[in-house]
Amino acid sequence: MSSRSLLIAAAAFGLMALQGPARADVEPEALVEPVAEYKLYVLDNLDAFVGHTRDFTRAIEAGELERAQSLYAPTRVYYERIEPVAELFADLDASIDAREDDYEKGVDDPDFTGFHRLEYGLFKQQTTDGLAPYARRLMSDVKDLESRVQGLTFPPAKVVGGAAALMEEVAATKVSGEEDRYSHTDLWDFQGNVDGSQKIFALFKPLIAEEDPAFVERVEDNFAAVEATLAHYRLAANDPEAGFVSYEKVSDKDRRALVGPVTVLAEDLSTLRGKLGL
Amino acid sequence: MSDQPDNTSRCPFTLDRRRFLQGLGAAGVGVAAGGLGRPARAADDHAVTGAPVSTTTAQAYPFHGRHQQGILTPRPAAGMVVACDVLARNRTGLERLLRTLTERIAFLTEGGTYPERDPAYPPADSGILGPTIAPDGLTVTVSLGASLFDTRFGLADARPRHLQRMTGFPNDALEPERCHGDLSLQICANTHDTTLHALRDLIKHTPGLLMVRWKQEGTVPVVPPRDNGPTPSARNYLGFRDGTANPDTDDATLMDALIWTGDDPEEPAWTRGGSYQVVRIIRNYVERWDRTPLAEQEAVFGRHKASGAPLDGAQEHDTPDYAADPEGRITPLDAHIRLANPRTPGFEKHRILRRPFNYSNGVEANGQFDMGLLFIVYQADLQAGFITVQNRLNGEPLEEYIQPVGGGYFFTLPGVVDATDYLGRALLEATAT
Ligand code: HEM
């Protein structure tokens, strides 16, 4: 059995645990393949995430400030894409991605670790001094995450709900620029969340496209509107790797222009579970 | 208690005794139910978290009419102003926004039952008032800011003549995040939760069309019903009755002259039946105020604190006679009410309709309260109204105790006359190409 069909079988098993009657016309079996595809997507991203985290944390341990700074955002992107799954492990989500606001003592809190602690050192304090322990901890947390996700049965409701959850993330913390307050690399995270949401939507779209073409069109239009605004702020139009300008450079007008489609997406995607009978 | 009618008591003992009995009446129910001296029964425990009861939940103001509600409508106990930016990208989006607001406000102010949805979907409503909502005296008043009349929607040529971006006055310390907006929603109701419910409904129904820019909630203290005589004006957070000298809202001719825009031939025709709305978030330094001698407080306003009467009068609604006091020996020349309305011939046209709420937001870093007045006024002509009066008030002694920190100028749309009409229809039709 290929790893792919194994995954599909595992996902099907997850579905059997589903409670209650499905309400939409979508047969539960129809969900098996997209859920399995999604798990592959997540594992691919996790694989890349581990590799990038390795480079990032090594740069910190080697005291290479500029290199570490430049690797910060491109590393996080992978996490941001799969956040709804990563968040299933609350302990790791806290140690990898919590922000200083989550702690009463803020940056000085001994429990404050992970990306944003490193961001504070690299971008605010402008040094790698004292960051090595946080870097080592991050590396081990990220590996831990990968192995836990490998063994995870993906609950379909969580997977489908992830499309909306990612847009809620964007609406709540990305538009305001509070996520990456020292590095101002919010647009990378923004793109990561949008990618992840769009992936989920694309996987399940065939199941609703016929029944609800207007809905599909509206969602796609709004994704396109978000992508178009983000595209203005890419450093190189044809090279996604080049990334984005600092969020400080995004005009208030464009921040507002993002709120519109993001809110409509959050509202529309919140019905996706219902449409699929989950 | 000071707001109790005092005309019923010739003998203070009687009054005190009555108050005592009233107090016992309210507090005594639980005791009576459980029997004196006996422990309360288990059923009584529910009373702790049972919903507080109101007799005014069914109160409803008709939505359709020449003017919007929320201007001449009696001011209820809860109100808020929410300023929004319009996110719609074109006129079609703007029309959809205005039609959606019309439809939602019509429903919310009448009350009714939300549709039930398949539980696999998010529910149709926040549900904070249950599946069936009562109107509870709700009004929602929609107004447009000067910024909406820019190039986005082709409205520039139809901007109400005096509508402009609010500018700072000498005593202002405006915080940009609490100023201006493309559109304001004034939401008022008998209870705070009814206003919040309406706000959440409106925002949920306008994704991609509206983004909240700032919001200020406020309240008005309630008084017991009175058997005779006019209800006294409610008090603001400086302890003074506020609203006493408002123009008479029952006088339709006066309202047409002072409040409703339309007579001025230089105003665009679509503005007829609307009004200029000014919102100012005015912080009050209440700790300092409470440490100010009463005589000085009264001199600052030109009114008695307890009764609300002018300094030369005895009852709240007595008319001050400034002509008899040209040097300001009784009512100082720089008293708030004397500056705001000198009651000289010809000043009538500068009168404005004030409909404020008190606000309390939290605590400043210095431990002082962030309290004040959510000042809302309506007038037919912004320049002759608020701007003229505020310019007269600049430098008044009251400024030592207050500071405007936010707000904006808006134009309140004419009313929605019937079910085929919608908010802003006349504006959109006047600018259609
Ligand atoms: C925190 C700020 C303010 C407080 C606490 C306050 C308080 C009061 C009080 C207690 C009165 C007397 C009772 C009454 O007639 O309502 C009054 C009257 C009045 N106030 Fe204010 N006020 C404030 C700001 C303003 C502003 C900004 C304006 C206009 C620019 C204004 C215009 C008026 C007018 C027109 C009157 C009626 C004067 C008359 O016709 O006798 N007030 N205010």
Side-chain angles (χ1 to χ4, degrees):
Chain A
M1 223 182 197
S2 71
S3 71
R4 214 190 124 163
S5 42
L6 251 179
L7 275 168
I8 294 180
F13 178 72
L15 277 169
M16 281 157 50
L18 254 184
Q19 302 261 312
R23 279 169 204 85
D25 291 341
V26 178
E27 296 292 325
E29 299 80 61
L31 298 168
V32 172
E33 190 161 339
V35 169
E37 288 284 352
Y38 183 65
K39 183 161 184 180
L40 284 175
Y41 171 79
V42 170
L43 290 177
D44 281 351
N45 275 284
L46 270 175
D47 191 45
F49 186 41
V50 171
H52 279 78
T53 305
R54 188 170 291 119
D55 292 346
F56 173 56
T57 54
R58 277 187 185 155
I60 292 171
E61 289 187 89
E64 297 165 347
L65 177 64
E66 269 179 42
R67 187 171 151 72
Q69 285 174 335
S70 73
L71 294 178
Y72 171 78
T75 304
R76 289 178 53 72
V77 159
Y78 298 97
Y79 190 81
E80 293 293 327
R81 282 188 190 152
I82 60 154
E83 213 164 351
V85 174
E87 279 176 355
L88 294 175
F89 306 101
D91 57 331
L92 288 179
D93 187 43
S95 63
I96 292 174
D97 199 34
R99 290 179 293 143
E100 64 190 71
D101 322 60
D102 299 333
Y103 301 98
E104 196 176 347
K105 292 188 194 135
V107 286
D108 297 324
D109 201 292
D111 290 335
F112 179 39
T113 61
F115 275 106
H116 294 297
R117 178 63 186 82
L118 292 167
E119 181 199 9
Y120 176 72
L122 295 173
F123 293 92
K124 169 81 178 167
Q125 299 179 311
Q126 290 284 327
T127 177
T128 56
D129 288 356
L131 296 185
Y134 296 114
R136 283 194 291 274
R137 167 77 188 269
L138 179 66
M139 190 66 240
S140 80
D141 283 343
V142 168
K143 282 196 205 147
D144 190 5
L145 177 67
E146 186 183 35
S147 71
R148 288 205 222 170
V149 172
Q150 274 164 349
L152 178 74
T153 303
F154 278 35
K158 281 274 176 218
V159 172
V160 172
L166 282 157
M167 296 321 294
E168 296 290 358
E169 278 288 324
V170 173
T173 60
K174 304 304 190 299
V175 173
S176 60
E178 65 195 80
E179 177 83 27
D180 297 302
R181 68 192 61 173
Y182 301 115
S183 62
H184 306 297
T185 54
D186 302 84
L187 290 178
W188 292 78
D189 292 22
F190 202 123
Q191 181 78 58
N193 288 162
V194 172
D195 288 348
S197 180
Q198 232 167 335
K199 177 71 185 181
I200 296 169
F201 182 71
L203 287 173
F204 293 91
K205 181 177 88 171
L207 303 182
I208 49 169
E210 238 169 75
E211 241 174 88
D212 209 341
F215 171 79
V216 169
E217 193 187 322
R218 193 165 66 231
V219 170
E220 290 185 331
D221 281 356
N222 281 303
F223 272 129
V226 172
E227 292 282 358
T229 309
L230 285 174
H232 283 313
Y233 292 99
R234 283 194 186 283
L235 288 171
N238 308 320
D239 177 13
E241 303 285 304
F244 295 93
V245 301
S246 161
Y247 197 58
E248 291 174 303
K249 298 222 172 94
V250 179
S251 68
D252 273 354
K253 190 164 159 267
D254 274 347
R255 288 184 191 203
R256 277 201 297 279
L258 286 166
V259 170
V262 164
T263 317
V264 183
L265 282 168
E267 194 72 43
D268 276 340
L269 293 173
S270 76
T271 65
L272 195 55
R273 280 178 55 181
K275 289 186 192 301
L276 293 166
L278 290 167
Chain B
M1 281 292 170
S2 65
D3 286 321
Q4 289 267 359
D6 53 6
N7 52 356
T8 48
S9 71
R10 260 160 288 127
C11 157
F13 171 73
T14 321
L15 181 64
D16 283 345
R17 192 180 146 73
R18 232 191 54 189
R19 282 180 189 163
F20 173 76
L21 287 173
Q22 276 175 353
L24 189 70
V29 177
V31 180
L36 273 177
R38 259 180 272 139
R41 280 170 292 137
D44 290 344
D45 294 349
H46 291 142
V48 173
T49 45
V53 170
S54 156
T55 55
T56 54
T57 55
Q59 188 176 19
Y61 294 105
F63 173 65
H64 292 131
R66 279 187 41 197
H67 310 297
Q68 287 193 70
Q69 293 285 5
I71 301 171
L72 304 191
T73 321
R75 183 181 56 163
M80 67 166 84
V81 173
V82 183
C84 302
D85 286 326
V86 170
L87 301 177
R89 279 173 280 183
N90 48 40
R91 284 176 65 97
T92 316
L94 181 64
E95 181 176 333
R96 191 153 55 85
L97 168 64
L98 293 166
R99 284 183 183 274
T100 308
L101 288 175
T102 305
E103 186 190 303
R104 294 317 304 163
I105 296 169
F107 170 74
L108 291 164
T109 54
E110 191 183 330
T113 302
Y114 280 90
E116 238 179 274
R117 273 203 197 151
D118 179 336
Y121 287 84
D125 177 45
S126 66
I128 61 175
L129 299 178
T132 298
I133 57 159
D136 198 26
L138 177 72
T139 63
V140 181
T141 313
V142 180
S143 314
L144 306 180
S147 51
L148 197 76
F149 294 83
D150 60 10
T151 54
R152 281 172 293 167
F153 306 105
L155 304 179
D157 291 338
R159 187 169 53 83
R161 186 177 162 213
H162 301 289
L163 189 61
Q164 55 187 284
R165 189 180 162 91
M166 182 180 76
T167 52
F169 291 86
N171 188 41
D172 290 9
L174 299 178
E175 297 166 11
E177 64 280 8
R178 295 163 91 180
C179 288
H180 317 305
D182 289 337
L183 182 148
S184 80
L185 300 168
Q186 177 199 261
I187 309 178
C188 307
N190 295 332
T191 55
H192 180 58
D193 294 279
T194 299
T195 62
L196 281 179
H197 172 266
L199 175 62
R200 281 174 61 177
D201 181 289
L202 296 173
I203 295 303
K204 184 171 172 64
H205 281 88
T206 51
L209 298 175
L210 272 191
M211 175 183 179
V212 175
R213 195 180 161 95
W214 53 267
K215 150 168 142 312
Q216 182 60 62
E217 298 165 14
T219 53
V220 179
V222 296
V223 295
R226 272 173 90 97
D227 301 336
N228 49 12
T231 310
S233 303
R235 293 175 190 276
N236 60 32
Y237 280 164
L238 299 182
F240 278 75
R241 295 199 191 279
D242 202 333
T244 309
N246 256 343
D248 179 5
T249 53
D250 291 331
D251 182 341
T253 316
L254 187 64
M255 292 299 102
D256 278 341
L258 292 180
I259 309 306
W260 306 122
T261 305
D263 283 348
D264 181 349
E266 291 189 41
E267 286 286 7
W270 73 264
T271 60
R272 185 169 286 272
S275 186
Y276 287 90
Q277 177 194 58
V278 172
V279 181
R280 305 266 287 168
I281 303 173
I282 307 178
R283 170 97 190 267
N284 293 174
Y285 296 107
V286 296
E287 289 87 351
R288 181 166 183 192
W289 180 255
D290 290 346
R291 291 189 279 258
T292 300
L294 177 62
E296 193 171 322
Q297 294 188 1
E298 297 188 329
V300 161
F301 281 115
R303 285 188 179 271
H304 290 295
K305 194 170 188 179
S307 62
L311 292 181
D312 62 358
Q315 309 279 336
E316 183 190 345
H317 290 280
D318 288 351
T319 307
D321 185 358
Y322 301 140
D325 177 28
E327 281 159 55
R329 284 180 213 276
I330 301 169
T331 308
L333 300 176
D334 59 4
H336 182 71
I337 63 165
R338 197 161 178 173
L339 286 175
N341 180 7
R343 297 177 191 251
T344 46
F347 198 80
E348 184 75 3
K349 64 173 181 291
H350 300 298
R351 294 184 67 202
I352 55 186
L353 183 69
R354 290 165 295 130
R355 202 172 179 275
F357 293 84
N358 300 326
Y359 77 81
S360 170
N361 286 342
V363 185
E364 297 282 304
N366 59 11
Q368 298 197 333
F369 297 122
D370 178 7
M371 286 190 179
L373 195 67
L374 172 58
F375 178 86
I376 306 170
V377 284
Y378 293 94
Q379 57 256 289
D381 177 339
L382 175 64
Q383 191 63 44
F386 173 78
I387 294 177
T388 299
V389 176
Q390 181 57 58
N391 280 328
R392 291 179 51 84
L393 289 173
N394 289 342
E396 64 170 331
L398 177 61
E399 284 186 351
E400 213 162 304
Y401 305 95
I402 65 170
Q403 185 148 56
V405 295
Y409 296 159
F410 303 91
F411 187 80
T412 301
L413 292 167
V416 175
V417 292
D418 57 31
T420 64
D421 195 9
Y422 65 92
L423 286 161
R425 183 186 48 78
L427 166 62
L428 287 184
E429 285 178 2
T431 51
T433 44

